[in-house]
Structure formats: C-alpha cells, structure tokens
Amino acid sequence: MNGVSDLVLARNEVSRQLRRLHGSTDTDQAFERLSSTVSEIRDAVGHMRMQPIERLFSALPRLVRDMCIELDKEIKLEIDGSDVEIDREMVESLRDPLTHILRNAADHGIEQKAERIASGKGAAGRIFIGARQTGNQIVVEIRDDGRGIDLDKLRSRVLARKIVTEAKWNSLSEKEKLELIFAAGLSTADKVTAVSGRGVGMDIVRNNVQAIGGTIELENMPGNGLLISLRLPLTLSIIPALILKAGGGLYSLPRSTIVEILSASNKHVSLEFIGELPIANIRGQRLSFARLETVLQLEPQSTKPDHGRTVIVVRPPSGVPFALDVELVVDIEELVVKPVPPILAKSGRYAGTSLPDNGRPVLLLDASGLAEAIGLKDSDTRFGRQLGWHNEADAVVEECVESALVFEDWDGATRAIRLSVVDRMEDILPSEIHAVAGGFCVSRGDELSEIVGFSGEAGLEEIKMLRLSDGFNIRYLAVRDVFDIFPINRLSVSVQLPDTFEAVIECDGRPVELLNAYRLFENDAGSIRNPALCFVEADDTGGWERTILAPLLTASGYRVSFDDNDRGQADVILTRSLELPTVPEKTIRLLDSATNDTVVEGIYKYDRNNLVAAIETKLRRAVS
C-alpha cells in the first residue's frame, strides 16, 4: 500500500503545481518543480510493479530434486538474493530460460559421482543461483562446479553443422567461440535424454532474455564449471531510449535497437541509387535507407542532405538492419512508456508515448514498423540475411511495388522470379541431392523437397539454390548465380510459353523472362506425389534396420514399412536373410560384409549408392 499512497500524494502534488503554474510568472521555476513531481510519480509507479524474485526461485529446489532422481546424481542447490525485487512481468519471462539453464547444468555440466571422485571433486555437485541489483540492472548468476564447456567438442559440432568454417573457428577468440553455443539447434550432448540434449535450449534462453531487454554472458572454467550471467533491466516499464529530432518534433527509439550512430557527413557514409531507390553504403555494407521525416510524412527543416544531419543504423527484432536519416540526436533518456493512442497505433510506426523529464511529450517509434514502412517485407529481409545485402525500398511507400530477383538459371540464361515466393538462398551439398522418381529432391533433416530446373550435373562443389515457398509447400530452384533485385515496373504478357514464363520484365534496360511461379508449385510439375514403398524385413529387435536403414531410405525419398501386411503391396522388399525370397523380382538382399563369401547375390548394407541404384532398377522394371 505504500506505493499507492506515494502515487496519490504525487498526483496531488501535480495538481498543486499545475494550479501554481497557471497563475505564475516564473514559468521556468514552475516547470522545474513540475518535472521533479513527474519524476516522483514515475518512481512510485515503478515501485508498485516490483516483486521479490523469490517468487521465481521458490520452484527451483523441487526441480533439482526431480532431476537428481532422473539422472541418478547428487546435486546441492544454493540460492542467494531471493529478496531482490524485479518487475512482475519479468518473473514469467524468466521462468523458461532459468529452467533451461538449470537443466543443462544438471545434465551436461555436473558429472556422475564416479567421474567427480576420480577428478578429485566431491561426490555431490553444486549449483549456485544468486540475484543482486547493480545500478539500474538486476544480475542473475547461475554457476555450477561441473565440467564446463568442452571447446573441442563444441568445435566438432559447429563444424559438422556448418555453422562456421574451420578457418573462421581458428580466428575466433574464446569468448566468440563460446557464443556459438547459442546457435539454433546446436547441442553438445552425447545423447538425448528426458532432461535435455535436443539442441533447443540455449538459443531459446538468449531469445527470451533479449526479448525483455536483457543480455546473457558466459564464463567458462574447463573442468571446474560454467558461470552464466543474466543482466536484466530493473523494470520493463522504463526503457533506455534515444531522443531524436525530425521535422521539428521529438521522437524516440529504444536503445536496444540502435547499432551505430554516424554523422551524415562522415566519409564512411555515402548514398547510392539503384534506379531511383536510395541505398546507404556504410563502410562497404549496403543498407536500405530512408529519412525519418519521409517515413512519418513530415516536412524536413533542412533540404541539404549533409546539413548537420545524423544517420542511425537500426536493427529491428527481425534482425535485418537499415539506415535511418534524422535531423538530430538530442539525448539518451530512460523513459516510462505507456500505450499509444489507437488513432496512431493503426499506422504501425509507433510503439508508445512517454513524457521525459523536460515535460515535452515524445512518441516512441516501433523499429519493426519503420522497417515495414520503408519496404522491408518479411520475405525480403529473410533473403537479405542470406545474401548479405537487402531489398532496396523507396523512402515513401505509398504503394507496394512487387520486386523480382534476377539470376542466372541452371541452363545459363538470365531469368527472374517474383521475390515474394523466394524464402532465402541456400548452398546445397551434392550429398543432400537425391535422384528420386525421375526427378531430384533435397533432403535436409526431416524435410524432403523437390528441385526444379536442375539437370543433375552437380560436380563436387556446393550448388546455389533458391528456396521457394508458397506459404505451405517448399521447392528448390537451382541457379548459377544471383544478380540483383529489380521492381516489376513493366510487363509484357504476350509470351510464347505461358506455362513456363509469366511475362517479360525490363531489368536495367534489357528484357528478362519472368518465371511462372504458379507452374513451379503445380502438382504435375514433377513433384514427388507418391514415393515408392519399401518393405523392410526385420524382427522386433532389428535395431540396424530401424535406426540405420530406415532413415537412409526416408532421406532418399522412399516410404518405409515394417508391417508384414504391407509386404504384398510394397514396391521393393529389403532383407538380410539368405533364404530364397518369395518375390525375387521385388527383393534386394543386403549383405553384412563387403566381401561376399556366400553364393547368394546381394549388396553390401553400407553401399548406399548401389543400394539406391538397385531400388531404382527394381522400380523401372516394375513399371515396364
């Protein structure tokens, strides 16, 4: 109730100061008193939102006890700083990240009893969780005395998943190497357990912590444990922001979205044009560019582009930065943010309103809304991250103009495709390409997608492919190279092959064929509609067939069944039995040894190329 009382008293003080201001001639002094009162209100509101972190820590001892039973480990949990107060909305936002970290510490970090004793440690592992306030931040530390992060194992995992190259790994500092633990889908666990090891933990931890304006830091002590520090804002209602001036008015941007601030006259900043579209070139990096006055439809105070203006590199939550030209950067302040009025919320450019200490209201800009306003659509930004450059957009977006990606097709011709169907560009390994049912497909994880426009002459190098999506289905389009992005401003619909080409567009003064994206997703365009069914003979303990053979067949584009009821309708039968097959024209025998010491014919079970070729031969004979 103290917070409520403080708020009531502060409200009364504001009323008194306003009445005094109305009849006062000393306006500067009155404004100073009013500003001080507003600050007191902000502090009172912030105090009312605070709750002890004990609400979050109280559930952790039971979690650790349950994990000790599951993992057959002895772990002692120590908690300190339960009386530290944090914003009540932050409690729920921290619950999942803290659970992930604690599970990883218990499963990956703390060793088994025998291993700990052999290394000179106590049989019981220790996990310490503490919280403290430092300035306007809350620091939560999770420390264990386990094995720490094995950098050699981390190296092998990131290289295997092609997250970085070996040369890049060798050039990284130890801190940068540890940061790779946050890569999506990465896990250093040797096996998947009920507790952890699925590779979905640390990337989620960082995303959730960053979503509430926090940061996460790692301190590795190989053989002695790992320290994870979470640095969080004191309250979610107060955010650090950059105060900007544009069109004579004041605006603000969350400081967490600001990458860099430069003078427009800086020699490393230049403005380029592709057609009529402006692009900011900052030290060789090309970014989408717009003036804040243009985006907000304001009248600029200065017509000269370098008249003391400032360029801000903004990175919205989508992760794709863009350059924003503003009149002036005024200050950095911590702002109390409240919801934006509905009439302004419709534009999508504003995230809230605030009243700084000077008493002059400002609008908090939405970085994602600004990105959308200058033309950075979702499909464009995802593609831009892959190529290293971004879709160019006009400063004023009054009408959505579709763009086309111009590329060199697999047959050497220059063609284009609507950018709206391009998800991203990927480098596909030859080992990920499979010839199936008269066509080709890409196999990645549990995703099997058709390749269009590919002749099969892959060679040994990685192949550039455009990943196309209609929102539900995926196709891959093989290309030799990617040139640029152009607006579709002129169409010629009189094409001789309408099933293949939608139209002809003008790109840089020359005509280019625009592929018919509809045709690429048609069912009769060579897609894999009904993959062949492979019946695999195996008993209930047939571990090799189920864990090794079945995934190989699935990744190669075939359906797999172990049900004896499917034997009769199977296209191919695979067996390791040396007995005479009942349906020899469908049966392929797999041999356990590469050197065939028996008189029976068969294929070595690890000879993948000959196995796939044999299946295709059986399928062709069945059709003929």
Side-chain angles (χ1 to χ4, degrees):
M1 293 299 293
N2 290 336
V4 176
S5 301
D6 293 342
L7 185 60
V8 172
L9 292 174
R11 184 193 62 186
N12 294 337
E13 178 64 19
V14 168
S15 300
R16 185 167 59 254
Q17 297 289 356
L18 287 174
R19 289 194 298 269
R20 182 179 301 175
L21 174 63
H22 183 70
S24 173
T25 58
D26 190 359
T27 56
D28 291 338
Q29 184 179 0
F31 263 117
E32 184 178 349
R33 290 194 296 268
L34 182 59
S35 176
S36 175
T37 304
V38 170
S39 297
E40 293 175 7
I41 293 180
R42 182 182 65 183
D43 294 338
V45 172
H47 180 74
M48 293 175 63
R49 295 175 58 89
M50 306 302 284
Q51 290 188 355
I53 203 171
E54 164 67 20
R55 178 182 168 189
L56 178 62
F57 285 175
S58 61
L60 300 182
R62 179 175 180 178
L63 176 64
V64 172
R65 287 197 300 269
D66 292 343
M67 287 191 294
C68 288
I69 296 174
E70 292 181 45
L71 300 172
D72 191 23
K73 295 181 180 180
E74 184 178 353
I75 302 174
K76 296 180 180 179
L77 177 65
E78 301 177 13
I79 297 177
D80 186 35
S82 297
D83 56 342
V84 172
E85 293 187 336
I86 62 174
D87 192 290
R88 64 183 180 214
E89 293 182 13
M90 202 178 299
V91 172
E92 294 303 322
S93 300
L94 279 177
R95 194 177 303 278
D96 286 344
L98 202 56
T99 300
H100 275 298
I101 293 175
L102 202 57
R103 287 179 178 273
N104 282 344
D107 194 8
H108 299 177
I110 302 297
E111 309 94 329
Q112 294 290 343
K113 296 179 182 178
E115 183 180 348
R116 291 183 61 85
I117 294 175
S119 60
K121 299 180 180 180
R126 295 175 63 250
I127 298 178
F128 170 82
I129 298 180
R132 69 179 190 275
Q133 180 177 344
T134 302
N136 62 349
Q137 286 187 328
I138 299 295
V139 180
V140 179
E141 293 182 339
I142 305 95
R143 183 174 66 247
D144 66 77
D145 66 342
R147 57 175 63 93
I149 296 178
D150 188 338
L151 288 181
D152 291 334
K153 181 181 292 185
L154 178 61
R155 171 186 174 274
S156 62
R157 297 297 169 87
V158 298
L159 293 182
R161 293 185 60 86
K162 300 186 183 302
I163 296 174
V164 297
T165 63
E166 186 165 6
K168 179 65 175 178
W169 170 270
N170 294 332
S171 67
L172 297 177
S173 64
E174 182 177 349
K175 182 178 180 180
E176 292 170 333
K177 292 176 181 177
L178 289 174
E179 287 290 317
L180 296 176
I181 201 72
F182 296 109
L186 180 69
S187 175
T188 58
D190 294 323
K191 62 181 180 179
V192 174
T193 69
V195 175
S196 61
R198 294 173 176 81
V200 296
M202 294 308 292
D203 60 316
I204 291 179
V205 168
R206 183 168 65 175
N207 291 341
N208 288 0
V209 171
Q210 289 180 344
I212 56 177
T215 61
I216 181 169
E217 300 174 358
L218 302 178
E219 183 179 341
N220 190 33
M221 297 160 283
N224 293 307
L226 178 69
L227 171 63
I228 300 179
S229 301
L230 309 180
R231 296 185 176 273
L232 312 165
L234 186 61
T235 173
L236 294 180
S237 62
I238 301 176
I239 65 170
L242 200 69
I243 307 299
L244 314 173
K245 186 177 182 182
L250 294 181
Y251 301 87
S252 63
L253 265 173
R255 197 166 62 186
S256 59
T257 65
I258 306 299
V259 178
E260 190 174 11
I261 303 173
L262 306 101
S263 170
S265 59
N266 191 305
K267 64 179 181 179
H268 298 296
V269 179
S270 61
L271 188 61
E272 304 174 353
F273 289 87
I274 297 182
E276 297 180 354
L277 304 177
I279 301 295
N281 189 326
I282 301 177
R283 289 187 293 273
Q285 184 182 14
R286 300 166 64 203
L287 302 173
S288 297
F289 173 88
R291 283 197 175 193
L292 183 57
E293 292 94 337
T294 307
V295 177
L296 301 181
Q297 299 180 354
L298 304 173
E299 288 293 332
Q301 298 296 301
S302 172
T303 58
K304 296 182 180 180
D306 58 349
H307 187 70
R309 297 184 64 87
T310 303
V311 174
I312 302 174
V313 179
V314 182
R315 185 186 298 276
S318 63
V320 180
F322 61 91
L324 192 65
D325 182 290
V326 301
E327 182 180 342
L328 183 66
V329 173
V330 179
D331 200 357
I332 296 178
E333 289 193 29
E334 291 186 348
L335 302 179
V336 179
V337 181
K338 64 178 182 179
V340 68
I343 191 171
L344 293 177
K346 292 180 180 179
S347 69
R349 294 164 172 79
Y350 305 101
T353 62
S354 182
L355 189 68
D357 292 340
N358 62 9
R360 188 176 178 182
V362 300
L363 288 169
L364 181 68
L365 300 173
D366 186 341
S368 298
L370 295 179
E372 184 177 355
I374 67 175
L376 285 175
K377 301 191 292 292
D378 288 343
S379 60
D380 302 340
T381 56
R382 287 196 303 270
F383 188 75
R385 282 200 299 272
Q386 295 294 325
L387 297 181
W389 43 264
H390 315 285
N391 180 38
E392 298 79 27
D394 200 345
V396 181
V397 181
E398 299 178 354
E399 182 179 3
C400 181
V401 178
E402 267 215 83
S403 300
L405 176 70
V406 181
F407 59 92
E408 181 183 352
D409 210 342
W410 193 251
D411 60 6
T414 299
R415 295 194 172 99
I417 188 171
R418 289 185 180 271
L419 192 59
S420 57
V421 301
V422 179
D423 196 7
R424 58 179 177 266
M425 189 176 76
E426 297 183 0
D427 291 326
I428 306 297
L429 295 172
S431 60
E432 297 175 313
I433 300 174
H434 307 280
V436 180
F440 295 90
C441 66
V442 171
S443 174
R444 282 194 159 185
D446 57 354
E447 182 181 270
L448 187 66
S449 306
E450 178 194 352
I451 305 176
V452 294
F454 182 60
S455 62
E457 301 173 359
L460 300 177
E461 300 292 333
E462 292 181 339
I463 302 172
K464 288 186 176 67
M465 291 196 186
L466 302 179
R467 190 176 190 267
L468 312 178
S469 173
D470 63 354
F472 301 95
N473 304 302
I474 300 297
R475 295 285 189 274
Y476 280 89
L477 177 63
V479 299
R480 300 284 185 184
D481 199 3
V482 173
F483 297 139
D484 216 330
I485 297 174
F486 285 87
I488 304 176
N489 49 22
R490 290 187 60 185
L491 292 178
S492 173
V493 296
S494 58
V495 293
Q496 298 297 319
L497 300 172
D499 288 342
T500 305
F501 304 110
E502 175 186 344
V504 175
I505 64 174
E506 181 183 353
C507 294
D508 201 16
R510 69 183 190 277
V512 174
E513 298 163 330
L514 182 66
L515 288 180
N516 187 339
Y518 181 87
R519 179 68 175 175
L520 297 179
F521 287 94
E522 277 188 322
N523 289 333
D524 62 349
S527 61
I528 306 169
R529 297 184 298 274
N530 189 22
L533 175 63
C534 295
F535 171 73
V536 180
E537 286 187 347
D539 55 25
D540 294 337
T541 60
W544 182 85
E545 288 85 355
R546 299 176 188 275
T547 61
I548 303 296
L549 180 60
L552 167 65
L553 297 174
T554 301
S556 299
Y558 307 111
R559 292 178 295 146
V560 181
S561 173
F562 293 92
D563 189 349
D564 198 63
N565 295 325
D566 292 333
R567 181 191 297 267
Q569 57 185 349
D571 299 293
V572 177
I573 299 174
L574 300 172
T575 181
R576 295 168 67 187
S577 173
L578 299 180
E579 298 179 359
L580 187 66
T582 56
V583 190
E585 65 275 10
K586 289 186 177 182
T587 303
I588 298 175
R589 183 179 286 108
L590 302 179
L591 305 177
D592 291 330
S593 174
T595 57
N596 187 2
D597 298 329
T598 65
V599 296
V600 299
E601 293 184 357
I603 298 174
Y604 178 44
K605 64 182 183 181
Y606 285 115
D607 190 348
R608 175 187 171 280
N609 293 333
N610 283 334
L611 174 57
V612 173
I615 293 175
E616 292 299 315
T617 300
K618 294 286 185 183
L619 295 176
R620 286 194 295 269
R621 288 176 180 175
V623 173
S624 60

